[in-house]
């Protein structure tokens, strides 16, 4: 009898594992393909060879790139080179990407930048917030941008128990931000288990010098985050659920979900067109290709443009799509004054005039 019970339990466990495996393949869209959508006036950005995972653009046209991200199990074209922050002036006729110098005392050798966000203070001081994974740990670095010197002055490193697996960040003050945790755990094995079992424990955290708290939770894998031009709503991309969550921001900084937009692709970073409030997203049509890299069958790229997301029927347009022959693993798309920048998780970056 005991053996029958053991066999029965083993069978149930195997069935559950099989069901979870098939569910994970669906969440990764492991069979996803993309039909090419080309833009006529694009070129690859010189100097970006190993990813530009996130991009943020100031109102004056200065664009910041987070480059060289490395994660356990993720492909890298420059595994031994530290990450960095690049800048491009989109007002120039032929803009170039230049690496910003970082002040002495900051550990450049372990710099592993992920999501980024800028904040302009009342005195026009520009702060750059950077999610950093030194030795695959989790910190948020705050820099002051010094435009005259093309440099970043490091001001502060933030660590907190509520920031165990930070992915992206949106700055709302000189020391204040919202951040996404794409996992509840920080341990690599527990992260994998969390994803496989589909616990939905990922969350959004509000941080200030006086208060740190979870303000939204229940995500499969919370990824990109951004804020509407009027500062009333936050947008959170749940990459493995293929969803954009719209959350209302309250005076106490808590968030209330008011809408979920379901899409048919893995949504990564979220950028906002400040002039229209439109949303631009770098997406992954096939997540399995992203994580199981094959140079003969590389990950594809896709850019979505979402208009009127608060309406009953938002307009979703595929602006760009490529099978990996030009751009592999698009993670972000940011616009400014008729120019579109597309970054990737670990490949190249594209500059387009639209």
């Amino acid at each position: 009898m005991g053996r029958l019970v053991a066999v029965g339990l083993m069978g149930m466990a195997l069935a559950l594992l099989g069901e979870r495996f098939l569910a994970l393949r669906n969440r990764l869209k492991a069979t996803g393909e993309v039909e090419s959508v080309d833009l006529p006036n694009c070129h690859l950005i010189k100097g970006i060879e190993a990813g530009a995972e996130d991009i943020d653009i100031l109102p004056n046209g200065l664009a910041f790139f987070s480059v060289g991200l490395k994660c356990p199990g993720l492909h890298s074209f420059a595994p031994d080179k530290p990450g960095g922050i690049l800048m491009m002036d989109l007002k120039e006729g032929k803009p170039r990407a230049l690496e910003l110098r970082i002040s002495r005392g900051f550990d450049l050798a372990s710099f592993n930048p992920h999501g980024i966000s800028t904040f302009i203070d009342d005195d026009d001081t520009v702060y750059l917030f950077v999610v950093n994974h030194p030795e695959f740990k989790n910190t948020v670095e705050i820099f002051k941008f010094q435009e005259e010197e093309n440099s970043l002055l490091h001001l502060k490193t933030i660590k907190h128990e509520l920031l165990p697996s930070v992915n992206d960040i949106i700055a709302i003050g000189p020391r204040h931000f919202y951040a996404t945790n794409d996992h509840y755990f920080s341990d690599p094995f527990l992260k994998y288990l969390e994803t496989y079992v589909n616990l939905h424990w990922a969350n959004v955290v509000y941080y200030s010098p006086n208060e740190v708290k979870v303000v939204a939770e229940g995500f499969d894998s919370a990824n990109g985050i951004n804020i509407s031009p009027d500062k009333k709503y936050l947008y959170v991309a749940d990459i493995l659920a293929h969803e954009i969550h719209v959350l209302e921001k309250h005076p106490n900084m808590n968030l209330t979900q008011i809408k979920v937009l379901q899409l048919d692709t893995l949504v990564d970073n979220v950028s906002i067109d400040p002039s229209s409030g439109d949303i631009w997203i770098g997406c992954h049509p096939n997540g399995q290709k992203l994580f199981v890299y094959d140079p003969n069958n590389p990950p594809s790229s896709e850019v979505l443009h979402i208009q009127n997301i608060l309406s009953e029927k938002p307009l979703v347009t595929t602006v760009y799509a490529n099978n990996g022959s030009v751009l592999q693993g698009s993670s972000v798309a940011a616009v400014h004054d008729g120019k579109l920048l597309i970054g990737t998780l670990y490949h190249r970056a594209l500059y387009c005039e639209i």
Side-chain angles (χ1 to χ4, degrees):
M1 183 67 179
R3 290 182 178 178
L4 288 175
V5 171
V7 169
L9 290 173
M10 185 177 296
M12 291 173 62
L14 290 173
L16 177 61
L17 288 173
E19 186 274 333
R20 290 292 85 188
F21 176 73
L22 292 176
L24 179 59
R25 280 179 56 84
N26 288 333
R27 288 154 63 210
L28 288 171
K29 290 200 166 289
T31 60
E33 299 293 340
V34 66
E35 293 185 10
S36 292
V37 178
D38 295 323
L39 290 170
N41 301 307
C42 296
H43 66 263
L44 293 170
I45 299 173
K46 186 178 179 180
I48 299 179
E49 311 287 343
E53 199 280 337
D54 202 8
I55 301 170
D56 200 17
I57 308 176
L58 294 175
N60 64 2
L62 292 180
F64 296 89
F65 298 75
S66 165
V67 302
L69 174 66
K70 298 164 192 66
C71 297
L74 192 68
H75 181 73
S76 174
F77 286 103
D80 299 321
K81 183 180 179 181
I85 301 295
L86 273 58
M87 185 188 73
M88 174 182 281
D89 188 350
L90 298 179
K91 300 189 304 297
E92 294 180 353
K94 294 183 178 180
R96 299 175 300 136
L98 304 172
E99 185 164 6
L100 295 178
R101 292 186 300 104
I102 297 179
S103 58
R104 292 181 180 179
F106 182 74
D107 185 2
L108 293 173
S110 67
F111 193 31
N112 192 12
H114 198 165
I116 60 174
S117 177
T118 55
F119 178 80
I120 304 175
D121 211 347
D122 293 337
D123 61 0
D124 293 329
T125 299
V126 175
Y127 297 94
L128 179 68
F129 290 63
V130 181
V131 175
N132 186 23
H133 304 295
E135 299 176 348
F136 303 130
K137 296 180 174 64
N138 292 269
T139 66
V140 172
E141 313 292 349
I142 303 179
F143 299 92
K144 177 183 176 181
F145 173 54
Q146 298 175 307
E147 185 172 358
E148 302 80 9
E149 304 172 9
N150 283 338
S151 66
L152 296 171
L153 175 64
H154 184 246
L155 301 177
K156 187 176 181 63
T157 295
I158 294 171
K159 303 177 184 178
H160 197 276
E161 62 182 7
L162 291 182
L163 300 170
S165 185
V166 194
N167 186 297
D168 198 17
I169 189 168
I170 179 66
I172 60 170
R175 296 290 187 277
H176 309 69
F177 59 84
Y178 289 95
T180 56
N181 284 305
D182 52 24
H183 291 81
Y184 178 82
F185 297 107
S186 57
D187 178 80
F189 174 75
L190 292 178
K191 280 186 175 185
Y192 176 79
L193 189 64
E194 178 185 345
T195 300
Y196 193 88
V197 179
N198 196 10
L199 292 177
H200 280 260
W201 285 1
N203 57 35
V204 177
V205 170
Y206 168 72
Y207 178 94
S208 75
N210 300 318
E211 183 180 31
V212 185
K213 57 185 178 180
V214 175
V215 289
E217 52 192 340
F219 299 95
D220 187 342
S221 183
N223 201 291
I225 187 169
N226 218 312
I227 195 167
S228 61
D230 61 10
K231 313 302 181 187
K232 292 181 179 180
Y233 303 100
L234 269 74
Y235 308 117
V236 176
D238 192 336
I239 188 168
L240 291 178
H242 323 136
E243 297 170 343
I244 298 296
H245 292 246
V246 182
L247 304 127
E248 185 176 6
K249 183 169 73 72
H250 301 292
N252 63 0
M253 300 302 165
N254 288 339
L255 303 176
T256 301
Q257 181 172 287
I258 62 171
K259 184 173 186 175
V260 178
L261 178 63
Q262 185 72 44
L263 298 166
D264 193 33
T265 187
L266 280 71
V267 286
D268 204 320
N269 285 312
V270 179
S271 299
I272 307 298
D273 182 344
S275 62
S276 64
D278 292 353
I279 297 173
W280 292 75
I281 310 174
C283 305
H284 309 288
N286 186 320
Q288 181 165 298
K289 290 183 181 181
L290 191 70
F291 295 108
V292 184
Y293 186 76
D294 179 357
N296 298 314
N297 188 20
S300 48
S301 292
E302 184 177 28
V303 171
L304 296 184
H305 175 204
I306 302 174
Q307 297 169 276
N308 302 316
I309 193 169
L310 295 176
S311 68
E312 290 186 8
K313 293 184 178 181
L315 178 61
V316 181
T317 306
T318 300
V319 174
Y320 176 82
N322 179 262
N323 64 4
S325 60
V326 176
L327 205 63
Q328 302 176 13
S330 55
S331 56
V332 61
V335 295
H336 176 82
D337 195 23
K339 299 174 179 67
L340 168 65
L341 302 175
I342 307 173
T344 64
L345 195 56
Y346 47 67
H347 190 231
R348 307 291 302 275
L350 206 61
Y351 170 94
C352 303
E353 294 183 357
I354 55 176

